[in-house]
Amino acid sequence: QARLSLEAFNALGQKVATLIGGETYPAGYHTLEWGPELAPGVYTLRLQCESQSGNEVRQLRVVRE
């Protein structure tokens, strides 16, 4: 199991949404449908994963159409 946080930042680096707010998920693949709170545009997603094996942070730039 891991505690996940997923935040979205706009092109100016401002946090515009918390898509996952520290919930615990079991190991495996998961999907997330974005809600209407994010308008079309370019975003940086920041995923933070805290587990027994350590902490990991990844960033990904995405385009929402």
Side-chain angles (χ1 to χ4, degrees), residues 4-33:
L4 300 179
S5 297
L6 180 61
E7 300 172 321
F9 297 84
N10 65 17
L12 300 175
Q14 301 164 321
K15 185 167 86 170
V16 294
T18 299
L19 303 170
I20 300 174
E23 290 91 7
T24 301
Y25 285 83
Y29 292 95
H30 304 277
T31 60
L32 172 74
E33 291 189 30

Side-chain angles (χ1 to χ4, degrees), residues 8 12 16 27 33 41 47 59 62-63:
L12 300 175
V16 294
E33 291 189 30
L47 176 66
Q59 291 190 49
V62 297
V63 177

Side-chain angles (χ1 to χ4, degrees), residues 39-52:
V42 177
Y43 295 93
T44 299
L45 299 182
R46 182 178 184 270
L47 176 66
Q48 182 172 352
C49 175
E50 299 174 14
S51 68
Q52 291 179 345

